[in-house]
Structure formats: C-alpha cells, structure tokens
C-alpha cells in the first residue's frame, strides 16, 4: 500500500525554548531564514507525499498563516520588483495540501497522533516531528517509505544515541535483522540509563499502520502524565510486526537549544550566499 498522507504533530508547548515559545510556536523558529516546520514539509514533499495534516494547538495560528497565501506581501514584492523573494513566498503556499486540526489540550504525542484519525482513515501513514530535522542525501522519510514497501509493516526511524541521553527518547529493544533493520520486541519511553535495553532511539520519523488508532484510544497516561505514542507502539508490536530502521543522515534535535545552534551553524555554512562571510566571521572568534 502506498503512503499518501503525513501527520506533523506541532501542538507541544515547547517549554525547552521559553521564553521564545511563549507567543511563537517552536516550529516557526527559523534555521537561518526558514521556519523548522518548512524543512519538515519540504522533506514530506521530496518523499512523494501529497497531503499533510499539521496538529496544532494554542498560539499556533502563525503555522497556518505561513503556509497560506500572503496577498498584501505578494503585491508589495511585485510592485517593488523583488522577483526572487516573491517566488520564494509564493512557493510556500503552493507547496502541498496542508490541513490542520487542533489538539485542544497538549495531552501528549500519542493523543496528538490520535487527533489525525479521521484524516488518515484506514491507511498506513507517516508521522514526522518538527523537533528532528534530518540532513541527508535521500530524504529521511523517503528512506522510511522504501523500507515500508519492503516490509509492509510499521517502521520506526531510529539511530543510536549517547547512553547518557537515552532518557530523552523512546528506546527500542529487539533483534537485529541486518545492518539497518531491527525487529522490535519492546519499547520503553525515556528510560533511565541503567534501565535502557539499548541506546537505539526513535528519532521523530514513523510509518504507522492504522491499527494504532484503536490502541491509542485506550492508551493510559505514561511518563510525564502524557499519553505517549511510544506506549501505543509498544502495544502495537504485540499485535503486528514492527521494525526499526537506522536511517542515513545527520539528525539535529532542534527542540533543544544546543541542537538548534548546531543546525543553525551547519545550515548557514551550506548556504552559497552566506558561507564565505559566515566562515570569515567564525574565524575571528576566540574560542578560549
Ligand atoms: P516534545 O515533548 O518534544 O515537545 O514532543 P514539547 O512538549 O513541545 O517540547 P518541550 O519538551 O516542552 O520543550 C514531541 C513532539 O510532539 C508534539 C510536539 O509539538 C513535538 O513535535 N506534541 C507533544 C504534540 O503535538 N502534542 C502534545 O500534547 C505533546
């Protein structure tokens, strides 16, 4: 079955980025000059998906505006002959069919995904978290879709993380099928380092079968008092095959300050219009 729909949960409170996220969603914070959520939407498009549902919440109106037309701005750019910027701004509103639904209370990622039930229907679908931006030759989601086409079952995008960081992630326990794939036997959300079965962490990319909705309907609050997607997926692997795929690419945790700074520097250095002047500036910094 083809993956045609993607869900981007963006209703979290972004407390790690306060006070910036008091009035602005963290998904709108820019890496250089593009909001992080646009990188995610571009990954979805480059992976061949045509419909996206963004799960929004309070204070998230600017996400909808970002992907909508901005008639006055476009008029102004046209009149002032700023063709390149006009093209850039128009491109965003034409990118893809963007749908939104509100998660009324931030009850957790599992609850946010459950809000996509009627949009998704009875098909496997992709989930991408805006906190994880992946820089890779082949889009991360495309790699995942290719794995789904091979295994026809739920696929979790994973990579090994430093052991001292396992308590920040959903952690996979399973059997290695080959260099890239594990059969998932169990999952644990944010375990203490001593209790973690592995250091293989789910990093914000999933292809999930619709069976998850039946499960999430009954999933109880877990770590942090939130309805956790990991807990739902843990139940799913008792019913269906679930695989973990080690994707290729450099992943940035842009929901954390340090990950955000790393991504900002690396992305700026990749830009033709900034590289030379930014490098020249970086060379002037005394790092001691
Ligand atoms: P996080 O826990 O990383 O996001 O959730 P957060 O709560 O916004 O961040 P901090 O920890 O307070 O800084 C992972 C993803 O799940 C979404 C978030 O928007 C993020 O993309 N999420 C989380 C929801 O959509 N709804 C929720 O109730 C919780």
């Amino acid at each position: 079955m083809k993956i045609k729909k993607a869900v981007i949960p963006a209703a979290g409170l972004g407390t790690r980025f306060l006070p910036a996220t008091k009035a602005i969603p963290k998904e709108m914070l820019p890496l250089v000059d593009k909001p992080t959520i646009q990188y995610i939407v571009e990954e979805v498009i480059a992976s061949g998906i045509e419909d996206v549902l963004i799960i929004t919440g309070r204070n998230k109106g600017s996400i909808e505006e970002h992907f909508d037309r901005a008639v006055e701005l476009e008029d102004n750019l046209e009149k002032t002959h700023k063709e390149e910027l006009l093209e850039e701004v128009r491109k965003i509103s034409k990118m893809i069919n963007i749908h939104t639904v509100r998660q009324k209370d931030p009850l957790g990622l599992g609850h946010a995904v459950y809000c996509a039930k009627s949009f998704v229907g009875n098909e496997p679908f992709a989930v991408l978290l805006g906190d994880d931006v992946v820089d890779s030759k082949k889009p991360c989601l495309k790699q995942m879709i290719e794995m789904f086409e091979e295994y026809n079952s739920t696929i979790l995008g994973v990579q090994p993380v430093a052991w001292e960081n396992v308590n920040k992630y959903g952690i996979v326990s399973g059997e290695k099928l080959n260099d890239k794939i594990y059969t998932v036997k169990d999952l644990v959300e944010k375990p203490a380092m001593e209790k973690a079965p592995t250091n293989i962490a789910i990093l914000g990319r999933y292809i999930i079968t619709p069976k998850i909705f039946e499960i999430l309907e009954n999933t109880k609050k877990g770590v942090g008092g939130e309805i956790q997607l990991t807990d739902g997926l843990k139940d799913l692997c008792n019913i269906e095959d679930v695989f973990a795929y080690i994707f290729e690419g450099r992943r940035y945790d842009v929901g954390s300050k340090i990950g955000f700074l790393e991504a900002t520097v690396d992305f700026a250095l990749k830009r033709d219009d900034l590289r030379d002047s930014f490098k020249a500036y970086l060379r002037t910094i005394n790092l001691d």
Side-chain angles (χ1 to χ4, degrees):
M1 204 173 200
K2 207 171 169 299
I3 305 295
K4 291 185 292 210
K5 292 176 182 168
V7 176
I8 304 178
L13 295 177
T15 47
R16 283 171 294 165
F17 253 104
L18 281 168
T21 48
K22 189 174 169 219
I24 299 168
K26 67 175 168 182
E27 295 77 9
M28 288 302 292
L29 297 178
L31 292 174
V32 186
D33 54 7
K34 228 191 305 183
T36 54
I37 195 159
Q38 191 177 331
Y39 289 91
I40 306 294
V41 168
E42 286 175 358
E43 180 183 331
V44 168
I45 297 168
S47 304
I49 288 184
E50 285 155 20
D51 278 290
V52 176
L53 178 73
I54 301 177
I55 315 285
T56 65
R58 236 165 38 83
N59 284 338
K60 304 278 181 168
S62 56
I63 298 180
E64 286 166 48
E65 274 164 38
H66 183 70
F67 290 102
D68 199 356
R69 285 203 60 193
V71 179
E72 281 165 30
L73 174 64
E74 288 174 29
D75 280 354
N76 181 285
L77 294 173
E78 202 161 15
K79 279 190 199 125
T80 51
H81 304 289
K82 295 185 174 144
E83 277 83 17
E84 258 181 52
L85 284 174
L86 178 63
E87 190 43 43
E88 192 65 40
V89 164
R90 280 203 175 134
K91 192 182 82 184
I92 301 166
S93 61
K94 289 186 189 153
M95 275 182 168
I96 192 168
N97 297 320
I98 304 259
H99 312 259
T100 55
V101 68
R102 272 197 173 221
Q103 183 190 18
K104 293 207 176 66
D105 290 302
L107 299 178
L109 177 58
H111 180 260
V113 168
Y114 185 73
C115 295
K117 186 178 176 207
S118 54
F119 166 81
V120 167
N122 197 26
E123 305 172 16
F125 62 104
V127 175
L128 301 94
L129 304 189
D131 282 356
D132 295 294
V133 171
V134 182
D135 184 32
S136 54
K137 277 200 209 95
K138 188 184 280 186
C140 179
L141 184 61
K142 192 166 189 170
Q143 299 175 41
M144 305 264 303
I145 290 174
E146 287 175 6
M147 284 300 133
F148 175 81
E149 283 164 357
E150 205 169 308
Y151 290 90
N152 260 299
S153 236
T154 295
I155 311 276
L156 313 176
V158 298
Q159 280 189 348
V161 296
W163 277 94
E164 60 270 26
N165 288 332
V166 289
N167 62 352
K168 297 181 183 152
Y169 300 99
I171 297 292
V172 165
S173 148
E175 275 164 28
K176 213 170 180 178
L177 275 187
N178 58 44
D179 277 358
K180 297 268 168 218
I181 291 270
Y182 288 81
T183 317
V184 179
K185 297 281 175 232
D186 199 8
L187 292 169
V188 42
E189 179 66 14
K190 301 191 172 83
M193 192 163 88
E194 316 74 63
K195 295 207 170 138
T198 67
N199 64 340
I200 306 293
I202 309 175
L203 297 180
R205 296 291 181 280
Y206 313 74
I207 307 267
I208 312 179
T209 64
K211 190 88 189 157
I212 194 71
F213 294 117
E214 281 170 43
I215 295 172
L216 287 174
E217 210 166 310
N218 299 308
T219 302
K220 304 265 178 304
K221 287 179 183 171
V223 176
E226 294 190 341
I227 298 172
Q228 298 288 353
L229 179 60
T230 306
D231 292 341
L233 291 166
K234 177 185 163 81
D235 289 346
L236 186 65
C237 65
N238 294 323
I239 305 172
E240 294 180 355
D241 288 342
V242 173
F243 298 95
Y245 164 65
I246 303 182
F247 60 81
E248 174 274 316
R250 165 77 160 95
R251 166 263 176 187
Y252 298 88
D253 175 10
V254 297
S256 76
K257 285 172 205 147
I258 190 69
F260 187 85
L261 290 169
E262 288 168 6
T264 300
V265 171
D266 287 355
F267 282 38
L269 287 172
K270 281 181 183 234
R271 287 269 299 251
D272 291 342
D273 57 336
L274 293 171
R275 187 182 307 111
D276 292 344
S277 49
F278 191 41
K279 264 191 187 169
Y281 168 68
L282 291 176
R283 285 197 191 98
T284 66
I285 298 176
N286 181 354
L287 292 174
D288 295 322

